[in-house]
Amino acid sequence: MAARPQDILGFWTEAGPKKWFEKNWAFDEAIRLKYEPTHHAAARGDYDSWIETPEGSLALIIVLDQFPRNLYRRSGHAFATDGKARAVARAAIAQGHDTAVPPELRYFFYLPFEHSESLADQELCIELCAGMQADTGDEDAIKWAIIHRDIIARFGRFPHRNDALGRETTPAEQTFLDEGGFAG
């Protein structure tokens, strides 16, 4: 049976914030068992029509941006669909889909920009999170957006991804990581 946006959103919201941003191998395995084929289908474009609704857009972004971070931790595959996730997020935001979902889920429309190694995307994320903060009072999103932007402004990339992407870590990046710099 083909995946449906409501199934993905139900799974995701039931898991909740405690699992969304923590390393949890059991949660990763649950995503793998239930949704790895859905992730591959979304990467191929099989679910591109989901962009037509706020819920569909959100589900597609979660499948392309969040799920691979759980499915492929410590691998370059974790970032392989980031560009597609950003394209979906841009189109969804242009249609106002980000403001049509529950406030606690709105941030997921902005995370593809926060995950980007482009400074312009990082600045856009801060702008979007500032608007969300004004609407919802959520201060955490802007805090994390600034942290991510500052790393990109400093290094031009996320040093914690270097091993997974086969990049050489510079001495400045290694010092940052050794001193407890953001590790994803």
Side-chain angles (χ1 to χ4, degrees):
M1 181 168 102
R4 301 175 311 164
Q6 60 266 36
D7 297 332
I8 290 156
L9 296 180
F11 171 84
W12 195 248
T13 55
E14 185 177 309
K18 197 139 178 85
K19 291 184 181 173
W20 294 340
F21 303 114
E22 299 292 326
K23 289 180 180 146
N24 179 320
W25 299 108
F27 184 53
D28 295 352
E29 189 59 22
I31 292 170
R32 183 178 327 288
L33 290 172
K34 241 180 139 105
Y35 292 113
E36 188 172 31
T38 302
H39 167 71
H40 289 291
R44 288 191 306 268
D46 294 358
Y47 296 114
D48 285 356
S49 65
W50 288 5
I51 190 69
E52 295 169 12
T53 68
E55 295 78 13
S57 297
L58 177 59
L60 189 55
I61 290 166
I62 289 168
V63 168
L64 294 169
D65 185 66
Q66 295 298 302
F67 282 5
R69 284 165 167 73
N70 296 90
L71 290 167
Y72 309 114
R73 285 189 195 279
R74 300 188 197 133
S75 162
H77 293 289
F79 318 111
T81 53
D82 282 7
K84 186 169 180 71
R86 278 191 306 279
V88 170
R90 281 185 208 288
I93 291 165
Q95 295 177 61
H97 290 339
D98 57 321
T99 59
V101 299
E104 66 274 11
L105 297 175
R106 186 171 169 184
Y107 185 43
F108 290 102
F109 283 95
Y110 309 151
L111 279 174
F113 305 109
E114 188 171 293
H115 292 150
S116 174
E117 291 186 325
S118 157
L119 190 55
D121 286 339
Q122 292 293 327
E123 295 294 348
L124 174 59
C125 184
I126 288 173
E127 179 184 324
L128 293 166
C129 288
M132 183 175 75
Q133 181 180 349
D135 291 347
T136 67
D138 181 345
E139 295 179 10
D140 278 346
I142 190 106
K143 175 187 89 170
W144 287 107
I146 291 168
I147 288 170
H148 283 75
R149 187 269 324 266
D150 289 351
I151 294 168
I152 296 302
R154 181 174 173 188
F155 298 110
R157 62 189 187 174
F158 292 116
H160 67 276
R161 293 183 184 176
N162 289 347
D163 286 343
L165 295 173
R167 302 187 301 208
E168 194 161 323
T169 300
T170 68
E173 290 172 335
Q174 190 61 58
T175 299
F176 170 75
L177 294 170
D178 291 346
E179 292 174 353
F182 183 75

